[in-house]
Amino acid sequence: MDYETFIGTVSRRSRVPREAATALTRATLETLAERLTGGEADALAARLPKPLRASLAAPAPEAEGFGLDEFVDRVSRRSGLSPAEARRGVPAELSTLHDAVHDDEFRPVPAQRRTGFGERVEARD
């Protein structure tokens, strides 16, 4: 999936304007990178369009342990979206991410099911 299609899909699924979808995507990827190990984030980033890869750079080799509420809060702060928009937007972005990569690279994300992340990914169109 190319960059324009990715952002357009996030915009449509999250029901936010394209500019907000761009901010939502970057914020979600940055927050997701904190939840994954460096190797998991790198493998996932390699499958993304080039303009999105840097957002998925893991800030530390080890994954942070925080739940869905904290995830959404971080996305809201980083993107400038309201908490309600971020809560609606996170599943839109994660499901688009899932569509864009192979299941092998996406496997670390659903592994977060015990924290509620799996349910957010399942919410597609």
Side-chain angles (χ1 to χ4, degrees):
M1 181 180 299
D2 67 23
Y3 177 78
E4 296 301 322
T5 301
F6 193 104
I7 297 299
T9 302
V10 171
S11 176
R12 181 175 44 79
R13 288 179 175 172
S14 63
R15 300 182 314 272
V16 298
R18 185 171 185 79
E19 299 78 29
T22 300
L24 170 67
T25 295
R26 293 191 188 285
T28 302
L29 293 175
E30 289 169 4
T31 305
L32 180 60
E34 295 169 343
R35 287 280 300 152
L36 301 173
T37 66
E40 291 169 340
D42 290 345
L44 195 55
R47 304 294 303 172
L48 292 176
K50 283 187 180 185
L52 299 177
R53 291 179 186 167
S55 296
L56 199 54
E62 298 301 317
E64 286 186 50
F66 53 87
L68 181 59
D69 289 338
E70 177 63 18
F71 190 99
V72 170
D73 185 55
R74 290 182 188 200
V75 170
S76 175
R77 285 192 318 260
R78 286 181 169 136
S79 67
L81 296 172
S82 72
E85 290 171 317
R87 186 164 296 282
R88 184 176 67 238
V90 166
E93 201 288 325
L94 291 177
S95 65
T96 303
L97 176 63
H98 188 209
D99 290 347
V101 302
H102 291 109
D103 284 338
D104 287 346
E105 286 86 12
F106 193 74
R107 207 167 281 147
V109 177
Q112 310 297 336
R113 287 187 190 278
R114 68 185 177 282
T115 61
F117 286 81
E119 295 80 11
R120 307 313 285 171
V121 176
E122 299 304 322
R124 295 191 184 184
D125 293 330

